[in-house]
Amino acid sequence: MTVIALLASLCACGQSGAGPAPSVAGTETIVLPRADQPKAHRPTLERLKREAASSGRPLEEVVKRYATRVAATSSPRPTDFEGYDPAVTDPDVVIDGIPYAELVDLGAVARSEGISYEEAIDRFGSQSSNSQVIDKLHAEFPDEISGISYVDGQRGLRVGFKGPIPARAIELARTLPLEVTLIGGKRFSASELRQAQETVVSWLRSRPEVATMTAHPDEETGQVKVTIQPKVMPDDTEEFKRGLQLPQPDNPHITVEVTLSAESVAVRPQ
């Protein structure tokens, strides 16, 4: 499910406030508070909320009834595709810019998060439109973006840049209906971080002393975090790490952190 898959990107919490915020040495931070950002325009869903409140029916049920009615009166769509079953196929309807299939996902999100359906729509209902802006940021600043992640339970977005924060990025961020924190001067890009990870993983695959390994980039710190299961657990872990002779990233601001595990970490060198 689209929305549930995106929840994997959630982090702990974001900063709040207005304008420039305190930052670590060498960086700049600009916070665009949610109160100053555009509000999501959802007139149909607001009407359905009022209908649910007056009828005493759950909003999720009211939304489903509405989507079914709209689908029944719309132009017919092909139904001969593989797997089509009218009893289980969601109506092909978009409500206030949100595909009904995503609204169904949001019902599952509400239950898994222990929140109301209304709150799930408020927090996660702009995923599709937000993704369009995020895609623009990646497309316009491919060598500058150091990372983009949702924070504060999807109520905010954190965007990092290798160098200064571009004015165009601020312009794009101001179109999002959530708080956005922009951080400049991180001194590494996401593409450099991925390249450093690929280089380290490729090197470790050639090392006979490595049984299994896993690696992931930390876009917040600029680290490639590697976990290795040695074929024989060493007495001196630091000596073992030095013996790996890991290649140094081209960008000196990117570091590699190695942790050893006595248990399998699932990925075996090829």
Side-chain angles (χ1 to χ4, degrees):
M1 293 188 291
T2 304
V3 176
I4 292 178
L6 286 169
L7 286 176
S9 68
L10 298 184
C11 300
C13 61
Q15 301 178 35
S16 61
S23 57
V24 298
T27 67
E28 61 170 324
T29 301
I30 296 174
V31 178
L32 307 177
R34 184 172 181 177
D36 297 338
Q37 296 288 87
K39 304 295 186 293
H41 185 58
R42 296 173 181 148
T44 301
L45 285 168
E46 288 301 321
R47 177 170 59 80
L48 295 177
K49 284 182 184 180
R50 293 191 294 271
E51 179 182 329
S54 63
S55 67
R57 295 197 304 270
L59 177 60
E60 194 171 359
E61 177 187 331
V62 172
V63 170
K64 182 176 182 178
R65 286 170 178 255
Y66 173 81
T68 302
R69 289 198 307 270
V70 172
T73 58
S74 299
S75 299
R77 297 177 182 273
T79 59
D80 57 353
F81 58 86
E82 183 179 354
Y84 175 76
D85 181 348
V88 298
T89 302
D90 291 328
D92 190 4
V93 172
V94 175
I95 304 175
D96 292 339
I98 308 174
Y100 177 67
E102 287 190 17
L103 289 167
V104 172
D105 286 355
L106 290 174
V109 169
R111 290 183 284 276
S112 67
E113 294 287 301
I115 59 178
S116 69
Y117 187 53
E118 291 86 340
E119 184 177 353
I121 292 174
D122 179 57
R123 285 169 57 180
F124 309 118
S126 299
Q127 290 274 7
S128 295
S129 57
N130 291 350
S131 293
Q132 294 174 13
V133 176
I134 291 171
D135 288 346
K136 286 183 180 180
L137 286 166
H138 280 297
E140 295 188 26
F141 308 103
D143 300 320
E144 283 297 309
I145 292 286
S146 66
I148 300 179
S149 60
Y150 282 105
V151 295
D152 194 17
Q154 209 84 355
R155 297 179 183 87
L157 194 72
R158 192 173 177 88
V159 186
F161 294 91
K162 179 178 180 179
I165 300 170
R168 169 62 175 163
I170 300 173
E171 178 185 342
L172 288 171
R174 289 193 185 280
T175 68
L176 294 167
L178 70 171
E179 179 168 293
V180 182
T181 301
L182 301 111
I183 304 171
K186 300 199 74 170
R187 302 188 294 184
F188 65 89
S189 69
S191 59
E192 290 174 326
L193 197 55
R194 286 192 299 271
Q195 180 58 53
Q197 177 185 335
E198 291 169 4
T199 299
V200 168
V201 168
S202 177
W203 177 261
L204 289 174
R205 282 176 174 159
S206 70
R207 302 298 301 190
E209 64 267 60
V210 175
T212 63
M213 65 174 172
T214 185
H216 72 274
D218 187 331
E219 295 178 343
E220 187 64 31
T221 63
Q223 282 187 326
V224 176
K225 297 189 174 182
V226 182
T227 302
I228 294 172
Q229 178 202 17
K231 288 184 178 177
V232 177
M233 199 66 183
D235 294 326
D236 188 333
T237 59
E238 293 305 315
E239 183 180 356
F240 178 87
K241 292 177 187 179
R242 288 192 295 270
L244 292 172
Q245 299 180 323
L246 290 174
Q248 295 302 305
D250 293 336
N251 183 335
H253 300 294
I254 294 175
T255 58
V256 180
E257 178 185 90
V258 177
T259 302
L260 301 188
S261 170
E263 305 297 327
S264 172
V265 290
V267 181
R268 296 184 180 278
Q270 299 297 316

